[in-house]
């Protein structure tokens, strides 16, 4: 820390930074200090400390300058001179450096290349998420977006394609059309092969033109089928990497189809990229309520003490879709690879991990790996698989999985699975973690259910009838749709008698928060741009995840286990109930008081 009029600002970590000018306007009750110093400190936090504690600080960071207002609290004497104050700057996180400014304060740019821009994911998720970030002013000043794919398209055609999927949030409609036009002007297209270094060199030239001599930071989003990941990574890395900034690559799942292929993919990626450059995306980690899991656990005293085998009877991780596969890649992967091994397992790891040392990406990922490595590989006897069959309802016939043109008629690929997993550590010993995931079911949603044990010696047992399980507490974290967290409790029905019912203590997001919840891809894209790795999967996490599922996946395939067939639009196969019953569990999503 240093006094205000020194020529150097010292930081709390005792680094000092030069600043070029300083002015202050002294008022009677309010003093305003305006300081300008290299722009890279725009991300720094500035605070003013008065010599006494009797002054409140307000800090506004504006383009190119930092303004701070020092206001005496009621009853305190006005500051006579700003020299009375001390000023400190918290330095920007160096690991995220290279984003807007280099070490000398030179401006930088970010170029985002969507590889596979003509595809479904790019249209449905990536471009709309980028637009939402642009609308919210979250993208850097100098950014360019390039679509890259084999299809022939002009810039105008790409813009036309992208414009069809852009929307503004319900609560953010101001200047929406104008913003869309401005965003589209920053989108360009380059047609090329995924395995052509020459084509990527041409892309490099175009990117350089847009970067205009600024520090160049480049993000490649691989939105292409997995068998061409390596070709694209090789060409992007060898021919279109940034020469003076960072180069990062977002990789979409599937990350292989078992332990061996995943390890081979990682090995190949690492021929061209370092682990720090690889951002393996699991979009469920970007969902609001999944991110909130840690907040819920670690910032509320009431939850963490209950978070163990002592109080929790079982945990359920549920995913359902009310539509079928409709030609998508499930044909090769199946629901275990598509949903369980990644989305549900990631949620489980966040749910069950020990308290991380800090919120740093590596600390969190270390804890996730630990919990995954404490798990027993899934056993065949703990899995039920299903496949949907055709069903006619209300005069409409819904197709079977095998009616899809891309699916062989004798396919045994599961479109539904239920599984019981166990964590062999002190916290979770013996607690079943039940997963259930399916397509073409009767509802669409994703949730976490935590069912608690019985109250010992419960005075009110006789009010619950014979089914005591129905009277235990349950926390439901509804990830989607209609985000909510609620706790099921037993409550006295008002009146002169003593009748109990099950009621919900409910945090219903749409009622509590007026802001629309950002799409998971927005958060993840922003994190990748900012170099925040917390929500991306590290390679050892991925290895641990695959080692839990690979043996059973092999066994299912080798033994050609026949799935239980369930009608399109139903609740799934009965086998899931038997599996849960083996561990004294009832699926919470099927109870009457959901
Ligand atoms: N769609 C989704 O909702 C989700 C997708 N993913 C993953 O994201 C990635 C992209 O998904 P999605 O957009 O659905 O994929 P697409 O099948 O739509 O493929 C994207 C683009 O890749 C090119 N492409 C497709 N097949 C081939 C091929 N055999 N050889 C060379 N190029 C090909 C095509 O572009 P062109 O012909 O113009 O070169 C296509 O437009 C995949 O890895 C997928 O697993 C993950 C989660 C959800
Ligand atoms: O990764 C995938 O996720 C989607 C479901 O994502 P959501 O955000 O809409 O819940 C699923 O449909 C797809 O099969 C799977 O690959």
């Amino acid at each position: 820390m240093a006094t205000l009029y020194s020529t150097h600002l010292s930081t709390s970590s005792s680094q000092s930074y030069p600043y070029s000018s300083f002015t202050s306007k002294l008022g009677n009750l309010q003093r305003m200090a305006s300081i300008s110093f290299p722009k890279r400190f725009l991300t720094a936090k500035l605070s003013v400390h008065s010599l006494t504690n009797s002054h409140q600080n307000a800090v506004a960071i504006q383009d190119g300058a930092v303004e701070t207002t020092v206001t005496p609290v009621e009853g305190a004497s006005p500051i006579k001179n700003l020299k009375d104050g001390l000023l400190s700057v918290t330095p920007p996180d160096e690991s995220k450096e290279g984003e807007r400014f280099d070490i000398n304060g030179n401006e930088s740019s970010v170029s985002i290349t969507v590889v596979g821009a003509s595809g479904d994911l790019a249209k449905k998720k990536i471009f709309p998420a980028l637009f939402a970030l642009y609308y919210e002013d979250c993208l850097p000043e100098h950014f360019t977006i390039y679509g890259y794919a084999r299809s022939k398209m002009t810039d105008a055609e790409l813009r036309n394609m992208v414009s069809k999927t852009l929307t503004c949030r319900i609560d953010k409609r101001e200047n929406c059309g104008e913003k869309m036009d401005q965003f589209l002007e920053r989108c360009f297209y380059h047609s090329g092969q995924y395995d052509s270094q020459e084509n990527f060199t041409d892309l490099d030239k175009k990117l350089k033109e847009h970067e205009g001599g600024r520090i160049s930071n480049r993000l490649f989003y691989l939105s292409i089928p997995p068998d061409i990941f390596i070709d694209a990574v090789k060409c992007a890395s060898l021919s279109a990497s940034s020469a003076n900034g960072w180069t990062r690559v977002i990789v979409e799942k599937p990350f292989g189809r078992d332990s061996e292929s995943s390890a081979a993919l990682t090995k190949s990626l690492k021929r061209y990229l370092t682990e720090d450059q690889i951002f393996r995306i699991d979009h469920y980690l970007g969902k609001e309520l999944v991110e909130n899991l840690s907040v819920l656990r670690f910032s509320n005293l009431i939850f963490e003490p209950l978070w163990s085998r002592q109080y929790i009877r079982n945990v359920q991780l549920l995913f359902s879709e009310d539509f079928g596969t409709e030609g998508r890649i499930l044909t090769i992967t199946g629901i275990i690879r598509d949903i369980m091994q990644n989305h549900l397992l990631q949620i489980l790891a966040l749910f069950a991990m020990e308290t991380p040392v800090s919120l740093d990406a590596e600390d969190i990922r270390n804890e996730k790996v630990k919990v995954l490595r404490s798990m027993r590989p899934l056993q065949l006897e703990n899995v039920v698989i299903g496949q949907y069959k055709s069903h006619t309802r209300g005069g409409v016939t819904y197709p079977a999985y095998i009616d899809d043109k891309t699916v062989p008629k004798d396919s045994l690929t599961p479109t539904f699975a239920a599984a019981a997993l166990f964590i062999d550590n002190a916290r979770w010993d013996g607690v079943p973690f039940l997963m259930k995931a399916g397509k073409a079911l009767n509802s669409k949603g994703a949730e976490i259910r935590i069912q608690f044990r019985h109250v010992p010696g419960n005075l009110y047992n006789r009010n619950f009838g014979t089914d005591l399980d129905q009277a235990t507490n349950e926390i439901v974290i509804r990830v989607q749709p209609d985000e909510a967290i609620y706790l099921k409790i037993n409550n006295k029905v008002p009146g002169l008698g003593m009748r109990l019912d099950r009621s919900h203590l409910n945090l219903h997001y749409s009622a509590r928060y007026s802001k629309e919840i950002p799409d998971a891809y927005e958060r993840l894209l922003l994190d990748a741009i900012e170099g925040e790795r917390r929500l991306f999967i590290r390679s050892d996490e991925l290895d641990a995840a695959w080692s839990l599922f690979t043996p059973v996946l092999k066994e299912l395939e080798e033994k050609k286990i026949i799935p239980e067939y369930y009608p399109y639009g139903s609740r799934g196969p009965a086998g899931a109930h038997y599996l849960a019953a083996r561990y004294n569990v009832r699926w919470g999503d099927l109870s009457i008081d959901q």
Side-chain angles (χ1 to χ4, degrees):
M1 292 205 288
T3 53
L4 280 176
Y5 290 121
S6 79
T7 50
H8 283 75
L9 288 179
S10 295
T11 70
S12 45
S13 60
S14 60
Q15 281 167 274
S16 53
Y17 297 115
Y19 63 91
S20 52
S21 71
F22 171 73
T23 56
S24 77
K25 293 178 218 153
L26 297 178
N28 199 18
L29 280 174
Q30 202 177 64
R31 278 130 190 96
M32 182 86 78
S34 168
I35 305 159
S36 56
F37 47 78
K39 278 186 173 179
R40 89 187 187 97
F41 298 126
L42 283 183
T43 55
K45 276 190 211 126
L46 180 92
S47 52
V48 173
H49 303 268
S50 65
L51 286 176
T52 67
N53 284 332
S54 55
H55 301 92
Q56 291 171 335
N57 309 317
V59 178
I61 299 190
Q62 290 174 350
D63 209 17
V66 178
E67 285 209 335
T68 167
T69 312
V70 186
T71 318
V73 294
E74 211 180 326
S77 54
I79 311 173
K80 291 280 180 311
N81 189 315
L82 269 178
K83 261 186 185 162
D84 292 350
L86 291 178
L87 189 124
S88 71
V89 176
T90 311
D93 180 352
E94 292 297 329
S95 67
K96 295 182 188 173
E97 216 32 77
E99 280 147 23
R100 291 193 63 170
F101 307 100
D102 77 348
I103 200 81
N104 300 313
N106 298 321
E107 277 190 299
S108 62
S109 61
V110 173
S111 305
I112 302 157
T113 304
V114 182
V115 182
S118 54
D120 178 60
L121 185 71
K123 281 185 259 189
K124 223 171 50 186
K125 294 287 183 186
I126 306 172
F127 285 108
L130 287 168
F131 170 62
L133 290 177
Y134 175 74
Y135 189 101
E136 303 265 0
D137 279 336
C138 290
L139 291 182
E141 190 181 340
H142 302 289
F143 80 91
T144 305
I145 296 173
Y146 254 89
Y148 185 104
R150 298 171 307 178
S151 305
K152 298 277 176 245
M153 246 191 279
T154 60
D155 291 343
E157 281 163 339
L158 173 91
R159 288 170 187 167
N160 184 38
M161 178 192 91
V162 168
S163 69
K164 292 186 182 138
T165 58
L166 300 187
T167 51
C168 278
R169 295 202 214 293
I170 294 162
D171 58 343
K172 295 263 168 72
R173 297 215 168 261
E174 211 181 311
N175 305 330
C176 186
E178 212 176 290
K179 286 271 195 181
M180 279 184 192
D181 292 342
Q182 291 163 0
F183 172 79
L184 291 169
E185 277 168 26
R186 311 282 282 268
C187 295
F188 302 87
Y189 185 75
H190 183 72
S191 165
Q193 300 295 322
Y194 302 107
D195 59 356
S196 162
Q197 284 194 45
E198 202 186 329
N199 293 166
F200 274 88
T201 303
D202 294 339
L203 171 72
D204 179 64
K205 285 185 195 135
K206 289 186 178 171
L207 293 179
K208 279 195 178 116
E209 278 169 31
H210 290 279
E211 289 159 356
R214 296 181 189 91
I215 301 291
S216 107
N217 295 311
R218 294 185 180 175
L219 178 66
F220 292 88
Y221 196 127
L222 298 194
S223 182
I224 44 178
D227 50 339
I228 46 176
F229 280 175
I230 299 301
D231 284 341
V233 164
K234 178 181 170 189
C235 295
S237 151
L238 297 180
S239 308
S241 274
S242 160
N244 54 8
W246 51 253
T247 302
R248 296 177 188 145
V249 179
I250 298 184
V251 189
E252 265 290 351
K253 78 180 180 65
F255 314 119
R257 59 187 326 274
D258 53 23
S259 290
E260 292 93 66
S261 53
S262 167
L265 176 65
T266 298
K267 194 169 164 209
S268 306
L269 287 173
K270 287 190 178 173
R271 283 172 63 194
Y272 306 105
L273 302 168
T274 61
E275 177 67 24
D276 268 6
Q277 291 180 283
I278 307 169
F279 286 67
R280 296 178 192 83
I281 207 166
D282 181 318
H283 76 282
Y284 266 62
L285 290 179
K287 295 205 183 247
E288 187 62 44
L289 271 83
V290 176
E291 234 210 321
N292 190 44
L293 257 178
S294 290
V295 180
L296 201 65
R297 278 188 69 187
F298 301 125
S299 77
N300 292 295
L301 184 69
I302 59 163
F303 294 121
E304 192 53 17
L306 303 181
W307 229 248
S308 74
R309 64 191 298 277
Q310 230 183 323
Y311 297 103
I312 292 180
R313 201 156 44 109
N314 68 76
V315 180
Q316 303 178 17
L317 302 141
L318 310 170
F319 168 94
S320 62
E321 275 179 350
D322 54 3
F323 47 87
T325 55
E326 281 141 29
R328 281 220 40 238
I329 51 159
L330 198 81
T331 40
I332 349 165
T333 64
I335 199 88
I336 297 177
R337 292 187 175 96
D338 195 39
I339 303 293
M340 281 189 172
Q341 180 272 349
N342 35 66
H343 304 330
L344 296 188
L345 191 65
Q346 283 297 321
I347 297 178
L348 184 153
L350 281 176
F351 177 92
M353 70 182 184
E354 296 300 315
T355 315
V357 175
S358 77
L359 291 176
D360 281 358
E362 298 322 316
D363 288 333
I364 294 176
R365 300 194 292 186
N366 287 344
E367 292 308 328
K368 283 169 68 194
V369 173
K370 271 202 246 166
V371 85
L372 292 175
R373 291 183 54 203
S374 307
M375 289 177 72
R376 248 179 263 167
L378 182 59
Q379 312 279 308
L380 187 59
E381 73 210 38
N382 281 333
V383 183
V384 169
I385 56 168
Q387 191 187 88
Y388 63 87
K389 58 182 184 185
S390 171
H391 181 60
T392 304
R393 200 177 46 235
V396 182
T397 299
Y398 297 90
Y401 173 64
I402 52 164
D403 290 339
D404 194 311
K405 283 200 292 294
T406 61
V407 176
K409 292 286 170 237
D410 57 354
S411 169
L412 301 178
T413 299
T415 58
F416 174 97
L421 290 130
F422 294 88
I423 305 174
D424 290 332
N425 66 12
R427 186 188 282 265
W428 297 113
D429 189 17
V431 178
F433 283 77
L434 290 158
M435 289 183 178
K436 189 167 68 160
K439 301 238 172 201
L441 293 174
N442 64 334
S443 64
K444 176 170 167 38
E447 55 188 29
I448 309 162
R449 287 179 176 258
I450 307 134
Q451 295 187 341
F452 288 85
R453 293 190 183 281
H454 304 116
V455 175
N458 192 335
L459 289 176
Y460 293 95
N461 270 355
R462 65 187 180 85
N463 299 68
F464 300 132
T466 48
D467 194 352
L468 294 183
D469 281 358
Q470 291 289 56
T472 57
N473 296 120
E474 180 171 335
I475 297 178
V476 182
I477 299 173
R478 193 161 63 219
V479 176
Q480 65 186 34
D482 203 14
E483 292 81 351
I485 302 171
Y486 55 94
L487 169 63
K488 293 193 203 172
I489 57 160
N490 301 306
N491 201 51
K492 179 180 170 300
V493 177
L496 297 178
M498 177 51 75
R499 200 161 63 80
L500 304 194
D501 79 352
R502 297 275 280 162
S503 293
H504 292 182
L505 295 181
N506 199 347
L507 171 57
H508 195 192
Y509 272 49
S510 64
R512 172 72 182 86
Y513 304 107
S514 52
K515 219 169 170 270
E516 204 174 313
I517 294 177
D519 187 79
Y521 280 88
E522 290 172 38
R523 188 184 317 273
L524 294 168
L525 271 160
L526 185 60
D527 280 357
I529 293 168
E530 292 187 339
E532 169 59 79
R533 293 170 179 80
R534 198 163 40 96
L535 301 179
F536 294 89
I537 321 278
R538 210 167 60 186
S539 67
D540 53 348
E541 252 184 282
L542 185 61
D543 294 345
W546 273 121
S547 56
L548 295 175
F549 285 91
T550 296
V552 85
L553 284 165
K554 287 221 160 96
E555 219 176 327
L556 283 167
E557 279 153 18
E558 278 162 17
K559 293 188 174 158
K560 297 196 184 334
I561 304 286
I562 297 173
E564 274 184 57
Y565 295 96
Y566 60 96
Y568 192 119
S570 69
R571 291 179 160 195
H577 301 277
Y578 296 120
L579 174 67
R582 190 184 310 154
Y583 295 102
N584 272 327
V585 177
R586 264 185 223 186
W587 294 107
D589 58 331
L590 303 181
S591 72
I592 23 171
D593 68 335
Q594 297 207 20

